[in-house]
Amino acid sequence: MSPHLVTPAARTAVRVTTLRVDGLATDLCLPATPPGPHPAVLIRTPYDRRAHRAELRAWAARGFAAVAQDVRGRYGSEGDWRPYGDHEAADGASALRWIRGRVWSDGRIVASGASYGAFCALALPGADAVIAAVPALGLAETAREPTGPERLHARAGWWAAHGDRREPAARPGPVALDRLPVSGLLDLPAWPALWAASRRPLPAGDMPLLAVGGTRDAFAGDTVRLWRGWRGPARLLLGPWGHGLTADPAPEARPAHRLNLGSLYADWARAALAGSLQGHGATAALGDSDHWCVLDSCAGTRASYPPQPFGFDDPTRLRPLRGVEFVADPARPVRSDDLAVPDTAPADRCLLVGPPLPRPLDLLGPAEARLDATADTPSADWALRLTALTPDGHARPLATGVVRRSRPGPFTVPLGVLARRLDAGTRLRVEVAGHHFPAHARNPHTGENPVTATRLTASHRAVRLTGSRLLLPVAPRIRKADPRQEIPK
């Protein structure tokens, strides 16, 4: 639920009371009538509980006792701020016990949160249902892609703003992301520890889960993996949004994609607490269309339709323009924040473009690339970027995947879940490069750890067109859906 989606009446209907629970600043908002007891929703956040007061009132207006709490060491809460520490589970358990001990509580609690708040919600032992939006699942999970490369730009920005402060910097200073070593970018004790952290098993509870993500969010893959691996009843909602969800719409978002997430969350919570949810279900917005669709090809079982190959050696699908052999130079990396393709010599990427689509194409489901490529260095990152070139000449990002390799042989580059409609006349562009900077740290190509390396060297690459291909989830038909009906059922 988001404050900008809360009705004016909900903002003033009920009063918010501030309390302290084990030294942690806690806001409480109870329904005006009836007196209760009520189910509760608990939000634990490092981003200021006071920013959730309109949201608490909206939950209360829908019959929930609503609680928001600053995590330890942030804003009004006592203690030291240690991001992703084990104390979040203990503090969350204490908050659950406190709620269940109140006369206004009927004992049923929904844990809810976004980003770091989703980590807190998932860490809660004993919640009856969980809403996890754009989940940042842990230190290692936020620091690196599952395929190895380090996420740089977003991590440096988050830690610069929040890493060692009770309250975030109003305007954090710029970080020189090209400075080496990466471990020395920020003067924070926890910054080097971020890169030494080990991945944990994905949370997989038995209670109902609602996972909410944006196809433009850096954690979209984590959102899908969380949903796919959940043991209990689980729903997945994917929209054409960034990390801010409906407050951060992508260019492909349409008016039909403007959901009232608050109302949807409350409807789902009622169904979850009533025990009426079964199995796994997923709904996704089809970007550049007016539709929401059932996304039944992501469940980890048989796809509803086979992925279609777009061979690098098939001129009816893709045609190489240049760079079948190219140089990946970390001193001049291919940039993640620029879709322009410079005409450089030597080539800095392999570039392929397809012919204009003869008819509209719906892409709905997981995509990947199979590459048969070589590098002359002991470690190599392979970044594949898929772009739609619209008939009016604009470049629109579709998907990106980055994989680290240290051995020869063909390999797969996951491209995440696509949910887009491409108009007739659109052309697909594929770039295969050695870097995706500054979204990801540069591989130095020396075999050293990219986090601690101080020396860079160029890498010579070659892509075998035969054996390399895209595998795209081309949907011959879509199953239209209304998320307001699909998610709570």
Side-chain angles (χ1 to χ4, degrees):
M1 193 177 300
S2 189
H4 71 281
L5 296 173
V6 177
T7 64
R11 296 178 188 274
T12 58
V14 283
R15 184 168 61 92
V16 176
T17 303
T18 300
L19 309 159
R20 300 198 76 78
V21 177
D22 292 337
L24 305 185
T26 305
D27 281 357
L28 169 66
C29 188
L30 297 177
T33 57
H38 311 282
V41 61
L42 172 61
I43 301 164
R44 303 193 65 253
T45 177
Y47 305 123
D48 193 354
R49 75 194 188 284
R50 295 169 296 184
H52 291 271
R53 285 179 174 173
E55 182 178 352
L56 298 188
R57 293 188 178 102
W59 278 107
R62 291 173 168 89
F64 289 81
V67 179
Q69 184 178 76
D70 290 332
V71 299
R72 189 166 299 279
R74 290 286 277 182
Y75 290 92
S77 289
E78 299 174 0
D80 297 324
W81 165 231
R82 291 185 289 115
Y84 296 98
D86 293 337
H87 61 282
E88 298 295 13
D91 288 342
S94 176
L96 290 183
R97 288 192 299 270
W98 179 82
I99 291 171
R100 290 187 170 125
R102 304 304 102 186
V103 296
W104 43 258
S105 169
D106 69 6
R108 298 176 299 164
I109 301 175
V110 177
S112 180
S115 194
Y116 187 97
F119 168 82
C120 294
L122 292 162
L124 277 177
D128 298 285
V130 178
I131 299 172
V134 290
L137 295 174
L139 275 178
E141 291 75 12
T142 58
R144 286 185 171 85
E145 301 288 352
T147 51
E150 296 79 8
R151 295 167 171 156
L152 181 61
H153 182 267
R155 290 301 82 203
W158 191 91
W159 283 86
H162 302 285
D164 64 346
R165 297 178 172 89
R166 176 166 294 276
E167 299 186 16
R171 189 183 297 274
V175 179
L177 296 176
D178 58 351
R179 174 183 162 193
L180 296 176
V182 169
S183 59
L185 284 181
L186 298 175
D187 185 19
L188 301 174
W191 177 250
L194 168 69
W195 307 107
S198 299
R199 297 184 72 89
R200 304 178 183 182
L202 279 173
D206 295 316
M207 71 288 286
L209 168 74
L210 174 57
V212 184
T215 51
R216 291 290 192 100
D217 176 40
F219 299 142
D222 295 332
T223 307
V224 174
R225 282 187 287 273
L226 174 70
W227 165 79
R228 185 182 289 136
W230 198 257
R231 293 190 301 264
R235 299 292 181 268
L236 172 68
L237 179 70
L238 282 178
W241 312 313
H243 198 63
L245 296 178
T246 53
D248 185 19
E252 62 268 20
R254 294 288 182 85
H257 305 148
R258 295 174 187 162
L259 288 183
N260 185 325
L261 290 181
S263 178
L264 185 64
Y265 288 5
D267 290 345
W268 177 88
R270 289 192 197 96
L273 295 179
S276 62
L277 300 179
Q278 300 294 325
H280 280 50
T283 307
L286 188 65
D288 285 321
S289 84
D290 294 319
H291 304 307
W292 287 86
C293 307
V294 174
L295 191 64
D296 55 0
S297 62
C298 277
T301 58
R302 182 179 63 86
S304 57
Y305 43 84
Q308 288 194 18
F310 286 67
F312 286 17
D313 60 347
D314 181 354
T316 68
R317 295 288 201 175
L318 292 168
R319 180 170 61 89
L321 296 186
R322 62 177 182 272
V324 173
E325 296 185 6
F326 67 94
V327 177
D329 187 351
R332 292 180 291 277
V334 171
R335 295 192 63 89
S336 58
D337 52 5
D338 188 355
L339 289 180
V341 179
D343 187 5
T344 58
D348 64 352
R349 70 198 80 185
C350 178
L351 179 66
L352 304 99
V353 176
L357 296 175
R359 61 187 64 87
L361 193 69
D362 290 336
L363 302 177
L364 188 64
E368 65 182 30
R370 306 276 175 83
L371 290 184
D372 191 353
T374 60
D376 68 346
T377 47
S379 175
D381 287 359
W382 295 88
L384 189 143
R385 183 162 64 187
L386 178 62
T387 304
L389 303 177
T390 64
D392 58 1
H394 291 90
R396 303 277 294 278
L398 287 176
T400 302
V402 188
V403 169
R404 179 159 297 154
R405 296 283 297 175
S406 58
R407 59 183 184 274
F411 55 96
T412 297
V413 182
L415 296 174
V417 172
L418 298 182
R420 293 284 286 277
R421 169 164 290 175
L422 305 181
D423 292 335
T426 299
R427 294 187 299 158
L428 293 176
R429 185 177 75 190
V430 176
E431 300 164 74
V432 180
H435 299 95
H436 187 241
F437 177 83
H440 296 87
R442 296 168 292 173
N443 191 318
H445 299 145
T446 61
E448 300 173 89
N449 185 337
V451 173
T452 57
T454 57
R455 183 172 61 91
L456 306 175
T457 187
S459 170
H460 290 78
R461 311 288 182 92
V463 177
R464 286 188 66 244
L465 300 181
T466 302
S468 296
R469 61 194 182 277
L470 287 175
L471 292 170
L472 297 182
V474 177
R477 67 191 66 84
I478 58 174
R479 292 173 53 195
K480 297 177 185 177
D482 184 342
R484 293 165 295 186
Q485 297 176 3
E486 293 290 330
I487 295 300
K489 78 176 186 181

PDB file of all heavy atoms in Angstrom, residues 84 119 135-146 151 155 194 197-203 219 222 225:
ATOM      1  N   TYR A  84      20.600  -5.590   7.552  1.00  0.00           N
ATOM      2  CA  TYR A  84      20.465  -7.018   7.286  1.00  0.00           C
ATOM      3  C   TYR A  84      21.020  -7.885   8.407  1.00  0.00           C
ATOM      4  O   TYR A  84      21.378  -9.047   8.184  1.00  0.00           O
ATOM      5  CB  TYR A  84      21.125  -7.397   5.949  1.00  0.00           C
ATOM      6  CG  TYR A  84      20.464  -6.747   4.771  1.00  0.00           C
ATOM      7  CD1 TYR A  84      20.993  -5.586   4.198  1.00  0.00           C
ATOM      8  CD2 TYR A  84      19.297  -7.271   4.245  1.00  0.00           C
ATOM      9  CE1 TYR A  84      20.367  -4.983   3.119  1.00  0.00           C
ATOM     10  CE2 TYR A  84      18.667  -6.654   3.163  1.00  0.00           C
ATOM     11  CZ  TYR A  84      19.211  -5.513   2.618  1.00  0.00           C
ATOM     12  OH  TYR A  84      18.586  -4.908   1.550  1.00  0.00           O
ATOM     13  N   PHE A 119      12.487  -7.536   3.368  1.00  0.00           N
ATOM     14  CA  PHE A 119      13.420  -8.405   4.096  1.00  0.00           C
ATOM     15  C   PHE A 119      12.957  -8.575   5.537  1.00  0.00           C
ATOM     16  O   PHE A 119      12.946  -9.684   6.074  1.00  0.00           O
ATOM     17  CB  PHE A 119      14.827  -7.808   4.046  1.00  0.00           C
ATOM     18  CG  PHE A 119      15.802  -8.461   4.986  1.00  0.00           C
ATOM     19  CD1 PHE A 119      16.433  -9.645   4.644  1.00  0.00           C
ATOM     20  CD2 PHE A 119      16.088  -7.890   6.222  1.00  0.00           C
ATOM     21  CE1 PHE A 119      17.324 -10.252   5.514  1.00  0.00           C
ATOM     22  CE2 PHE A 119      16.983  -8.484   7.097  1.00  0.00           C
ATOM     23  CZ  PHE A 119      17.609  -9.674   6.738  1.00  0.00           C
ATOM     24  N   PRO A 135      11.409  -7.092  -3.121  1.00  0.00           N
ATOM     25  CA  PRO A 135      12.191  -7.524  -1.956  1.00  0.00           C
ATOM     26  C   PRO A 135      13.698  -7.457  -2.175  1.00  0.00           C
ATOM     27  O   PRO A 135      14.226  -7.940  -3.164  1.00  0.00           O
ATOM     28  CB  PRO A 135      11.733  -8.975  -1.759  1.00  0.00           C
ATOM     29  CG  PRO A 135      11.266  -9.411  -3.112  1.00  0.00           C
ATOM     30  CD  PRO A 135      10.662  -8.194  -3.734  1.00  0.00           C
ATOM     31  N   ALA A 136      14.384  -6.823  -1.220  1.00  0.00           N
ATOM     32  CA  ALA A 136      15.843  -6.829  -1.142  1.00  0.00           C
ATOM     33  C   ALA A 136      16.200  -7.900  -0.111  1.00  0.00           C
ATOM     34  O   ALA A 136      16.090  -7.677   1.088  1.00  0.00           O
ATOM     35  CB  ALA A 136      16.365  -5.462  -0.713  1.00  0.00           C
ATOM     36  N   LEU A 137      16.604  -9.078  -0.557  1.00  0.00           N
ATOM     37  CA  LEU A 137      16.539 -10.281   0.253  1.00  0.00           C
ATOM     38  C   LEU A 137      17.711 -10.485   1.202  1.00  0.00           C
ATOM     39  O   LEU A 137      17.682 -11.405   2.013  1.00  0.00           O
ATOM     40  CB  LEU A 137      16.403 -11.504  -0.663  1.00  0.00           C
ATOM     41  CG  LEU A 137      15.101 -11.552  -1.470  1.00  0.00           C
ATOM     42  CD1 LEU A 137      15.121 -12.720  -2.443  1.00  0.00           C
ATOM     43  CD2 LEU A 137      13.903 -11.659  -0.543  1.00  0.00           C
ATOM     44  N   GLY A 138      18.758  -9.680   1.131  1.00  0.00           N
ATOM     45  CA  GLY A 138      19.878  -9.861   2.045  1.00  0.00           C
ATOM     46  C   GLY A 138      21.118  -9.152   1.541  1.00  0.00           C
ATOM     47  O   GLY A 138      21.132  -8.597   0.429  1.00  0.00           O
ATOM     48  N   LEU A 139      22.179  -9.175   2.337  1.00  0.00           N
ATOM     49  CA  LEU A 139      23.421  -8.511   1.943  1.00  0.00           C
ATOM     50  C   LEU A 139      23.947  -9.040   0.609  1.00  0.00           C
ATOM     51  O   LEU A 139      24.096  -8.299  -0.357  1.00  0.00           O
ATOM     52  CB  LEU A 139      24.481  -8.702   3.027  1.00  0.00           C
ATOM     53  CG  LEU A 139      24.491  -7.740   4.208  1.00  0.00           C
ATOM     54  CD1 LEU A 139      25.578  -8.146   5.182  1.00  0.00           C
ATOM     55  CD2 LEU A 139      24.697  -6.309   3.752  1.00  0.00           C
ATOM     56  N   ALA A 140      24.250 -10.332   0.568  1.00  0.00           N
ATOM     57  CA  ALA A 140      24.837 -10.901  -0.643  1.00  0.00           C
ATOM     58  C   ALA A 140      23.862 -10.854  -1.805  1.00  0.00           C
ATOM     59  O   ALA A 140      24.257 -10.644  -2.960  1.00  0.00           O
ATOM     60  CB  ALA A 140      25.274 -12.338  -0.381  1.00  0.00           C
ATOM     61  N   GLU A 141      22.570 -11.050  -1.501  1.00  0.00           N
ATOM     62  CA  GLU A 141      21.558 -11.077  -2.553  1.00  0.00           C
ATOM     63  C   GLU A 141      21.426  -9.717  -3.239  1.00  0.00           C
ATOM     64  O   GLU A 141      21.154  -9.653  -4.446  1.00  0.00           O
ATOM     65  CB  GLU A 141      20.214 -11.505  -1.971  1.00  0.00           C
ATOM     66  CG  GLU A 141      20.158 -12.958  -1.531  1.00  0.00           C
ATOM     67  CD  GLU A 141      20.906 -13.222  -0.233  1.00  0.00           C
ATOM     68  OE1 GLU A 141      21.279 -12.248   0.470  1.00  0.00           O
ATOM     69  OE2 GLU A 141      21.129 -14.396   0.080  1.00  0.00           O
ATOM     70  N   THR A 142      21.590  -8.637  -2.496  1.00  0.00           N
ATOM     71  CA  THR A 142      21.525  -7.314  -3.099  1.00  0.00           C
ATOM     72  C   THR A 142      22.850  -6.922  -3.747  1.00  0.00           C
ATOM     73  O   THR A 142      22.875  -6.105  -4.666  1.00  0.00           O
ATOM     74  CB  THR A 142      21.159  -6.251  -2.053  1.00  0.00           C
ATOM     75  OG1 THR A 142      22.125  -6.252  -0.995  1.00  0.00           O
ATOM     76  CG2 THR A 142      19.781  -6.518  -1.470  1.00  0.00           C
ATOM     77  N   ALA A 143      23.950  -7.504  -3.281  1.00  0.00           N
ATOM     78  CA  ALA A 143      25.261  -7.101  -3.774  1.00  0.00           C
ATOM     79  C   ALA A 143      25.599  -7.694  -5.129  1.00  0.00           C
ATOM     80  O   ALA A 143      26.272  -7.059  -5.937  1.00  0.00           O
ATOM     81  CB  ALA A 143      26.343  -7.498  -2.761  1.00  0.00           C
ATOM     82  N   ARG A 144      25.156  -8.932  -5.369  1.00  0.00           N
ATOM     83  CA  ARG A 144      25.551  -9.628  -6.594  1.00  0.00           C
ATOM     84  C   ARG A 144      24.349 -10.241  -7.293  1.00  0.00           C
ATOM     85  O   ARG A 144      23.380 -10.633  -6.664  1.00  0.00           O
ATOM     86  CB  ARG A 144      26.551 -10.750  -6.279  1.00  0.00           C
ATOM     87  CG  ARG A 144      27.944 -10.277  -5.934  1.00  0.00           C
ATOM     88  CD  ARG A 144      28.879 -11.473  -5.766  1.00  0.00           C
ATOM     89  NE  ARG A 144      30.261 -11.050  -5.633  1.00  0.00           N
ATOM     90  CZ  ARG A 144      30.825 -10.684  -4.501  1.00  0.00           C
ATOM     91  NH1 ARG A 144      30.113 -10.704  -3.392  1.00  0.00           N
ATOM     92  NH2 ARG A 144      32.082 -10.305  -4.464  1.00  0.00           N
ATOM     93  N   GLU A 145      24.466 -10.340  -8.602  1.00  0.00           N
ATOM     94  CA  GLU A 145      23.509 -11.136  -9.357  1.00  0.00           C
ATOM     95  C   GLU A 145      23.700 -12.614  -8.991  1.00  0.00           C
ATOM     96  O   GLU A 145      24.808 -13.026  -8.639  1.00  0.00           O
ATOM     97  CB  GLU A 145      23.728 -10.961 -10.863  1.00  0.00           C
ATOM     98  CG  GLU A 145      23.594  -9.545 -11.365  1.00  0.00           C
ATOM     99  CD  GLU A 145      22.163  -9.046 -11.377  1.00  0.00           C
ATOM    100  OE1 GLU A 145      21.246  -9.863 -11.126  1.00  0.00           O
ATOM    101  OE2 GLU A 145      21.957  -7.838 -11.619  1.00  0.00           O
ATOM    102  N   PRO A 146      22.663 -13.414  -9.099  1.00  0.00           N
ATOM    103  CA  PRO A 146      22.859 -14.853  -8.885  1.00  0.00           C
ATOM    104  C   PRO A 146      23.896 -15.455  -9.827  1.00  0.00           C
ATOM    105  O   PRO A 146      24.496 -16.484  -9.523  1.00  0.00           O
ATOM    106  CB  PRO A 146      21.463 -15.437  -9.155  1.00  0.00           C
ATOM    107  CG  PRO A 146      20.520 -14.316  -8.919  1.00  0.00           C
ATOM    108  CD  PRO A 146      21.259 -13.069  -9.342  1.00  0.00           C
ATOM    109  N   ARG A 151      26.445  -5.867  -8.397  1.00  0.00           N
ATOM    110  CA  ARG A 151      25.598  -4.706  -8.651  1.00  0.00           C
ATOM    111  C   ARG A 151      26.265  -3.498  -8.014  1.00  0.00           C
ATOM    112  O   ARG A 151      26.473  -3.472  -6.807  1.00  0.00           O
ATOM    113  CB  ARG A 151      24.211  -4.926  -8.047  1.00  0.00           C
ATOM    114  CG  ARG A 151      23.421  -6.048  -8.678  1.00  0.00           C
ATOM    115  CD  ARG A 151      22.216  -6.393  -7.827  1.00  0.00           C
ATOM    116  NE  ARG A 151      21.304  -7.313  -8.494  1.00  0.00           N
ATOM    117  CZ  ARG A 151      20.459  -8.118  -7.863  1.00  0.00           C
ATOM    118  NH1 ARG A 151      20.426  -8.129  -6.543  1.00  0.00           N
ATOM    119  NH2 ARG A 151      19.657  -8.909  -8.541  1.00  0.00           N
ATOM    120  N   ARG A 155      23.827  -0.207  -5.355  1.00  0.00           N
ATOM    121  CA  ARG A 155      24.362  -0.508  -4.014  1.00  0.00           C
ATOM    122  C   ARG A 155      25.140   0.671  -3.464  1.00  0.00           C
ATOM    123  O   ARG A 155      25.015   1.019  -2.279  1.00  0.00           O
ATOM    124  CB  ARG A 155      25.254  -1.750  -4.074  1.00  0.00           C
ATOM    125  CG  ARG A 155      24.518  -3.028  -4.315  1.00  0.00           C
ATOM    126  CD  ARG A 155      23.466  -3.329  -3.240  1.00  0.00           C
ATOM    127  NE  ARG A 155      22.207  -2.630  -3.465  1.00  0.00           N
ATOM    128  CZ  ARG A 155      21.299  -2.356  -2.530  1.00  0.00           C
ATOM    129  NH1 ARG A 155      21.530  -2.687  -1.287  1.00  0.00           N
ATOM    130  NH2 ARG A 155      20.188  -1.735  -2.824  1.00  0.00           N
ATOM    131  N   LEU A 194      29.948  -6.054   2.886  1.00  0.00           N
ATOM    132  CA  LEU A 194      28.874  -6.337   1.941  1.00  0.00           C
ATOM    133  C   LEU A 194      29.337  -7.347   0.904  1.00  0.00           C
ATOM    134  O   LEU A 194      28.617  -8.285   0.559  1.00  0.00           O
ATOM    135  CB  LEU A 194      28.446  -5.031   1.266  1.00  0.00           C
ATOM    136  CG  LEU A 194      27.532  -5.132   0.045  1.00  0.00           C
ATOM    137  CD1 LEU A 194      26.154  -5.613   0.461  1.00  0.00           C
ATOM    138  CD2 LEU A 194      27.438  -3.781  -0.659  1.00  0.00           C
ATOM    139  N   ALA A 197      29.871 -11.079   2.113  1.00  0.00           N
ATOM    140  CA  ALA A 197      28.724 -11.810   2.628  1.00  0.00           C
ATOM    141  C   ALA A 197      28.397 -13.008   1.729  1.00  0.00           C
ATOM    142  O   ALA A 197      28.615 -12.981   0.516  1.00  0.00           O
ATOM    143  CB  ALA A 197      27.512 -10.890   2.732  1.00  0.00           C
ATOM    144  N   SER A 198      27.876 -14.045   2.343  1.00  0.00           N
ATOM    145  CA  SER A 198      27.479 -15.248   1.621  1.00  0.00           C
ATOM    146  C   SER A 198      25.967 -15.238   1.378  1.00  0.00           C
ATOM    147  O   SER A 198      25.202 -14.739   2.209  1.00  0.00           O
ATOM    148  CB  SER A 198      27.843 -16.505   2.422  1.00  0.00           C
ATOM    149  OG  SER A 198      29.233 -16.578   2.634  1.00  0.00           O
ATOM    150  N   ARG A 199      25.580 -15.805   0.265  1.00  0.00           N
ATOM    151  CA  ARG A 199      24.160 -15.907  -0.039  1.00  0.00           C
ATOM    152  C   ARG A 199      23.481 -16.884   0.909  1.00  0.00           C
ATOM    153  O   ARG A 199      24.066 -17.887   1.311  1.00  0.00           O
ATOM    154  CB  ARG A 199      23.942 -16.364  -1.486  1.00  0.00           C
ATOM    155  CG  ARG A 199      24.476 -15.387  -2.521  1.00  0.00           C
ATOM    156  CD  ARG A 199      24.141 -15.865  -3.930  1.00  0.00           C
ATOM    157  NE  ARG A 199      22.718 -15.718  -4.206  1.00  0.00           N
ATOM    158  CZ  ARG A 199      22.171 -14.620  -4.723  1.00  0.00           C
ATOM    159  NH1 ARG A 199      22.929 -13.557  -4.982  1.00  0.00           N
ATOM    160  NH2 ARG A 199      20.887 -14.566  -4.973  1.00  0.00           N
ATOM    161  N   ARG A 200      22.256 -16.576   1.236  1.00  0.00           N
ATOM    162  CA  ARG A 200      21.455 -17.444   2.085  1.00  0.00           C
ATOM    163  C   ARG A 200      20.405 -18.154   1.232  1.00  0.00           C
ATOM    164  O   ARG A 200      20.058 -17.690   0.154  1.00  0.00           O
ATOM    165  CB  ARG A 200      20.743 -16.620   3.171  1.00  0.00           C
ATOM    166  CG  ARG A 200      21.677 -15.782   4.027  1.00  0.00           C
ATOM    167  CD  ARG A 200      20.859 -14.977   5.030  1.00  0.00           C
ATOM    168  NE  ARG A 200      21.686 -14.088   5.833  1.00  0.00           N
ATOM    169  CZ  ARG A 200      21.211 -13.311   6.788  1.00  0.00           C
ATOM    170  NH1 ARG A 200      19.917 -13.307   7.053  1.00  0.00           N
ATOM    171  NH2 ARG A 200      22.018 -12.530   7.476  1.00  0.00           N
ATOM    172  N   PRO A 201      19.864 -19.262   1.723  1.00  0.00           N
ATOM    173  CA  PRO A 201      18.744 -19.879   1.005  1.00  0.00           C
ATOM    174  C   PRO A 201      17.575 -18.903   0.932  1.00  0.00           C
ATOM    175  O   PRO A 201      17.346 -18.109   1.855  1.00  0.00           O
ATOM    176  CB  PRO A 201      18.392 -21.098   1.872  1.00  0.00           C
ATOM    177  CG  PRO A 201      19.627 -21.372   2.675  1.00  0.00           C
ATOM    178  CD  PRO A 201      20.281 -20.046   2.906  1.00  0.00           C
ATOM    179  N   LEU A 202      16.847 -18.948  -0.171  1.00  0.00           N
ATOM    180  CA  LEU A 202      15.681 -18.084  -0.303  1.00  0.00           C
ATOM    181  C   LEU A 202      14.654 -18.413   0.774  1.00  0.00           C
ATOM    182  O   LEU A 202      14.455 -19.583   1.122  1.00  0.00           O
ATOM    183  CB  LEU A 202      15.023 -18.279  -1.673  1.00  0.00           C
ATOM    184  CG  LEU A 202      15.635 -17.553  -2.863  1.00  0.00           C
ATOM    185  CD1 LEU A 202      14.946 -18.001  -4.144  1.00  0.00           C
ATOM    186  CD2 LEU A 202      15.527 -16.051  -2.704  1.00  0.00           C
ATOM    187  N   PRO A 203      13.999 -17.408   1.342  1.00  0.00           N
ATOM    188  CA  PRO A 203      12.907 -17.695   2.278  1.00  0.00           C
ATOM    189  C   PRO A 203      11.850 -18.547   1.582  1.00  0.00           C
ATOM    190  O   PRO A 203      11.563 -18.357   0.394  1.00  0.00           O
ATOM    191  CB  PRO A 203      12.366 -16.302   2.633  1.00  0.00           C
ATOM    192  CG  PRO A 203      13.456 -15.351   2.283  1.00  0.00           C
ATOM    193  CD  PRO A 203      14.193 -15.961   1.134  1.00  0.00           C
ATOM    194  N   PHE A 219      15.441  -5.793  -8.716  1.00  0.00           N
ATOM    195  CA  PHE A 219      15.196  -7.007  -7.955  1.00  0.00           C
ATOM    196  C   PHE A 219      14.033  -7.822  -8.515  1.00  0.00           C
ATOM    197  O   PHE A 219      13.477  -8.671  -7.816  1.00  0.00           O
ATOM    198  CB  PHE A 219      14.920  -6.659  -6.487  1.00  0.00           C
ATOM    199  CG  PHE A 219      16.067  -5.958  -5.800  1.00  0.00           C
ATOM    200  CD1 PHE A 219      15.823  -4.943  -4.888  1.00  0.00           C
ATOM    201  CD2 PHE A 219      17.378  -6.297  -6.067  1.00  0.00           C
ATOM    202  CE1 PHE A 219      16.872  -4.294  -4.250  1.00  0.00           C
ATOM    203  CE2 PHE A 219      18.435  -5.651  -5.446  1.00  0.00           C
ATOM    204  CZ  PHE A 219      18.182  -4.642  -4.528  1.00  0.00           C
ATOM    205  N   ASP A 222      14.673 -11.509  -8.281  1.00  0.00           N
ATOM    206  CA  ASP A 222      14.554 -12.012  -6.916  1.00  0.00           C
ATOM    207  C   ASP A 222      13.091 -12.163  -6.516  1.00  0.00           C
ATOM    208  O   ASP A 222      12.718 -13.102  -5.796  1.00  0.00           O
ATOM    209  CB  ASP A 222      15.257 -11.061  -5.940  1.00  0.00           C
ATOM    210  CG  ASP A 222      16.756 -11.003  -6.167  1.00  0.00           C
ATOM    211  OD1 ASP A 222      17.314 -12.010  -6.643  1.00  0.00           O
ATOM    212  OD2 ASP A 222      17.363  -9.958  -5.881  1.00  0.00           O
ATOM    213  N   ARG A 225      11.861 -15.366  -8.158  1.00  0.00           N
ATOM    214  CA  ARG A 225      12.445 -16.548  -7.510  1.00  0.00           C
ATOM    215  C   ARG A 225      11.821 -16.790  -6.140  1.00  0.00           C
ATOM    216  O   ARG A 225      11.585 -17.938  -5.748  1.00  0.00           O
ATOM    217  CB  ARG A 225      13.960 -16.384  -7.384  1.00  0.00           C
ATOM    218  CG  ARG A 225      14.718 -16.643  -8.688  1.00  0.00           C
ATOM    219  CD  ARG A 225      16.218 -16.628  -8.473  1.00  0.00           C
ATOM    220  NE  ARG A 225      16.711 -15.281  -8.250  1.00  0.00           N
ATOM    221  CZ  ARG A 225      17.068 -14.442  -9.217  1.00  0.00           C
ATOM    222  NH1 ARG A 225      16.955 -14.815 -10.481  1.00  0.00           N
ATOM    223  NH2 ARG A 225      17.504 -13.242  -8.949  1.00  0.00           N
TER     224      ARG A 225
END
